Amino acid sequence: MRVYQPQEVIVEVGTEQGSVFKNLKRSLPNIPFTFVEDPQSYLSQLQSSEDPLGKGKKRLLLTRHRGEFLKKCPGSDGAVCCNYFVINFASNCPMDCSYCYLQDYLAHNPALKVFSNVEDLLEEAHKLFSRQRRFFFRVGTGEITDSLALDPYIGFSEQIVPFFAEQPNAFLELKTKSDCVENLLHLDPKEKVVVSWSMNPQRVIDQEEHLTASFEERLLAAYRCQQAGYKLGFHFDPIIEYSGWEEDYREMVERIFAVVDYRRIAWVSMGVLRNTPNLKRIMRQRFPSTRLLSGEQVLCPDGKMRYFHPLRVSIYRKMLQWIRSASPTVFVYLCMESREVWEQVFGFSPSCEKELGNRMVSAD
Ligand code: SF4
């Protein structure tokens, strides 16, 4: 993978004392650092440019986060939720997948930002976990950014992994499409950290997942993490239907289970391509040659467009069959899918979000 490098680091004055600034300075010796009193001027300038999101990815803004770091994952209306919390240590992503929902979600906040006040983040998480010791928290950092793509520069994993390793009632998922795992390999996750990869066949990566690691690079990174003591997760999401998809996805599933030890896989998720009308408009502008705009999709109750219900069920059943032939016991769930689809694929649907969350904890 060609590791991302920003063209410039924009630093909000007052953030220079923290570990993130020091790590950026050390790891980006040849990149200009510009200090600003108020990042708003940079943000307004970005907002008025052509393709603010694409431009925003080229520079890295180090700023203080105002507000809460930890939030409950919003899920999707009418879909079975898995009771997940998210920590936002950064916003936007240096990679550029054509289908990325952040293009719409961050349309009015497109800068690639990393937050300096990591100590506040850890304190907030510690308070929340200590207040509710009877609840088990599953937490991810990859909701509005990639969990690891910036790690070679900011070293966030070196703070968050040891923190979660000591929490009695929480574990962490680091979700990525990169192979930036070097910082993880010398840490001891103490069974409290799952490193997971969104996986697609190389054909889809080449066409739609720009600047990400290749399939084999992701798989090698997963293998290295497993050897270093981490549990693994795989997200087959978004699954894309095209002529020949079955062969590509079947080979991909077989290859993954041939390389990693299925007994160290905490979970596998499946989800088909999802769009909104607005995201489609943005994709058409930013990625005119994408092939993802031509297939038929229907509008679902949560406002997202997906393949027709029978096609989704058929895709999931095939995927599940390939996964089960490689590993009959691995925990598999659906991401943002309705109860009806769950029932047709698995023969049941979790009775409530807590049940799915608990199943994942006990699978782990
Ligand atoms: S890796 Fe994830 S967050 Fe980054 S552009 Fe792709 S879909 Fe978006």
Side-chain angles (χ1 to χ4, degrees), residues 203-347:
R203 189 195 304 250
V204 174
I205 295 174
D206 290 341
Q207 285 166 3
E208 311 293 346
E209 298 184 350
H210 309 290
L211 309 177
T212 63
S214 70
F215 171 77
E216 287 295 333
E217 286 169 333
R218 293 181 209 182
L219 190 55
L220 176 61
Y223 177 76
R224 294 177 78 205
C225 283
Q226 186 179 275
Q227 296 299 94
Y230 291 86
K231 291 191 174 183
L232 303 181
F234 291 100
H235 300 285
F236 300 126
D237 191 353
I239 301 170
I240 290 162
E241 194 256 358
Y242 54 88
S243 157
W245 77 272
E246 282 114 320
E247 207 183 328
D248 287 355
Y249 278 82
R250 187 176 43 74
E251 276 174 13
M252 174 185 73
V253 169
E254 286 171 0
R255 174 83 182 126
I256 290 172
F257 284 93
V259 170
V260 302
D261 179 351
Y262 71 88
R263 290 166 301 185
R264 297 290 299 162
I265 298 178
W267 51 70
V268 170
S269 79
M270 304 189 288
V272 292
L273 180 69
R274 300 176 284 283
N275 274 319
T276 59
N278 201 39
L279 178 56
K280 280 190 145 184
R281 189 187 53 75
I282 298 170
M283 288 167 68
R284 206 166 281 123
Q285 261 171 12
R286 296 196 68 234
F287 299 100
S289 58
T290 178
R291 302 188 186 169
L292 304 184
L293 297 167
S294 45
E296 266 191 285
Q297 290 182 309
V298 287
L299 197 58
C300 298
D302 61 356
K304 295 192 172 74
M305 302 172 82
R306 295 174 173 83
Y307 301 136
F308 284 108
H309 182 125
L311 177 57
R312 273 148 56 207
V313 171
S314 147
I315 288 173
Y316 293 138
R317 282 182 175 162
K318 284 180 184 161
M319 286 290 291
L320 188 62
Q321 190 192 336
W322 300 326
I323 295 166
R324 288 278 174 252
S325 355
S327 163
T329 53
V330 73
F331 180 78
V332 186
Y333 69 98
L334 297 179
C335 188
M336 293 196 187
E337 271 298 357
S338 64
R339 283 192 188 286
E340 294 72 34
V341 172
W342 266 84
E343 268 152 27
Q344 287 169 1
V345 175
F346 294 108

Side-chain angles (χ1 to χ4, degrees), residues 10 34-48 61:
I10 298 165
T34 307
F35 292 81
V36 294
E37 287 286 346
D38 179 7
Q40 199 49 51
S41 52
Y42 165 62
L43 298 174
S44 314
Q45 189 192 344
L46 191 60
Q47 207 44 276
S48 57
L61 171 65

Side-chain angles (χ1 to χ4, degrees), residues 150-183:
L150 294 171
D151 210 57
Y153 307 122
I154 63 174
F156 178 62
S157 63
E158 294 178 323
Q159 285 175 283
I160 197 84
V161 169
F163 171 79
F164 271 84
E166 298 306 327
Q167 300 307 311
N169 60 330
F171 64 74
L172 173 70
E173 179 179 25
L174 297 170
K175 200 194 263 189
T176 190
K177 284 195 184 94
S178 80
D179 61 352
C180 302
V181 297
E182 218 54 53
N183 289 340

Side-chain angles (χ1 to χ4, degrees), residues 93 95-97 99-100 102 146 177:
C93 173
M95 299 177 274
D96 209 3
C97 305
Y99 54 74
C100 179
L102 296 180
D146 182 277
K177 284 195 184 94

